[in-house]
Amino acid sequence: MRIDIISVAPNLLESPFNHSIVKRAKDKGLAEIVIHDLREYGLGNYKQIDDTQFGGGAGMVMMIEPIANCIKKLHAERTYDEVIYMTPDAQTLNQGTANTLSLRENILILTGHYKGVDQRIRDKYITKEISIGDYVLTGGELAAAVLVDAIVRLIPGVIGDEQSALTDSFQDNLLSPPVYTRPSEFEGMKVPDVLLSGNFPKIDEWRSDQAYKRTEEIRPDLLEE
Ligand code: 6GU
């Protein structure tokens, strides 16, 4: 999978993509992530990328030309399955979206800053808009890092233990059951007997039961979906 990201703060994206699972995916050749500095497409001597908004009001808007020029250049090099704009005024990311996107070949992600991008960019170039939750971040970079991590770990071959991506919280709209490791007793706190029983059908049943109970208690909205 190839992921291109357009950003005004490329350094914010360096660290998350050079560690852990995303780094492993890149090293294995399963994911290629290329970051494009929007400033290089800025206008004039000052490389301007934002301007005040028509109609007045506080906050700058990202201008259409620098973004359009950057997107056009990238479009000339490859066909994108999806051009995604990271913005808080969009549907929130969930596991289903991550699953779908992990099957794509080429993805382009645009990250916004300030008041966001000129609406005409969204109208013309964007095929999908994603928020990562109901709160506001300074910019879309951290949100893009979250999205890329969620997608890349699902690419076949990225996670060694194939099973583990499938048993994640949310994969079946349920939270994960509690987990334990050694020691079996710590300061009087014991691991549930069933997990030490060796009775695997029973253990599976206990885990499903716990997953359901946890979901009911913490995220009942997931059960309604
Ligand atoms: Cl995608 N961008 C920004 N700036 N804030 C957010 C977000 C995205 N998702 C949640 N909050």
Side-chain angles (χ1 to χ4, degrees):
M1 171 185 285
R2 159 108 179 190
I3 302 174
D4 290 275
I5 305 175
I6 303 172
S7 162
V8 293
N11 52 340
L12 268 180
L13 291 165
E14 260 157 41
S15 178
F17 296 157
N18 286 312
H19 292 99
S20 77
I21 279 169
V22 177
K23 170 150 195 307
R24 202 188 318 163
K26 292 203 300 186
D27 291 347
K28 283 185 179 173
L30 296 169
E32 185 186 4
I33 301 170
V34 182
I35 297 162
H36 306 272
D37 187 352
L38 185 65
R39 186 64 68 174
E40 289 173 15
Y41 298 82
L43 306 183
N45 286 342
Y46 295 102
K47 297 283 173 198
Q48 186 182 2
I49 50 167
D50 60 342
D51 206 342
T52 53
Q53 51 177 318
F54 280 127
M60 302 294 271
V61 175
M62 290 171 72
M63 301 168 81
I64 193 164
E65 293 107 315
I67 297 172
N69 288 339
C70 182
I71 291 179
K72 280 182 197 165
K73 177 169 172 270
L74 295 174
H75 273 319
E77 289 163 15
R78 57 181 48 75
T79 305
Y80 290 96
D81 303 303
E82 212 78 77
V83 181
I84 301 168
Y85 175 47
M86 303 306 301
T87 180
D89 54 342
Q91 290 195 337
T92 45
L93 178 63
N94 59 28
Q95 193 61 38
T97 304
N99 287 345
T100 306
L101 292 173
S102 74
L103 303 172
R104 301 287 186 252
E105 201 89 19
N106 300 315
I107 294 177
L108 175 56
I109 301 173
L110 172 65
T111 61
H113 260 254
Y114 321 113
K115 279 272 166 198
V117 302
D118 188 300
Q119 179 61 36
R120 290 167 291 182
I121 284 289
R122 298 169 75 160
D123 296 342
K124 176 150 187 192
Y125 295 106
I126 301 301
T127 62
K128 194 173 190 64
E129 301 189 327
I130 296 177
S131 161
I132 62 162
D134 294 337
Y135 42 82
V136 178
L137 302 169
T138 313
E141 282 77 14
L142 296 178
V146 167
L147 174 65
V148 169
D149 189 292
I151 293 172
V152 165
R153 61 190 296 285
L154 294 169
I155 299 171
V158 170
I159 294 189
D161 178 2
E162 297 290 336
Q163 190 64 17
S164 85
L166 291 175
T167 54
D168 284 337
S169 271
F170 293 111
Q171 203 55 267
D172 44 16
N173 255 13
L174 290 176
L175 303 186
S176 291
V179 293
Y180 299 86
T181 186
R182 277 176 290 211
S184 61
E185 186 176 340
F186 177 75
E187 295 179 355
M189 295 183 292
K190 288 184 178 162
V191 171
D193 285 338
V194 60
L195 296 177
L196 308 175
S197 70
N199 182 340
F200 294 103
K202 199 118 197 153
I203 290 171
D204 281 345
E205 191 188 316
W206 181 86
R207 284 180 173 153
S208 311
D209 213 48
Q210 290 290 318
Y212 189 83
K213 276 191 189 135
R214 246 189 194 184
T215 311
E216 209 172 31
E217 192 180 314
I218 305 170
R219 292 292 308 276
D221 54 300
L222 292 175
L223 297 174
E224 284 155 23
E225 277 173 23

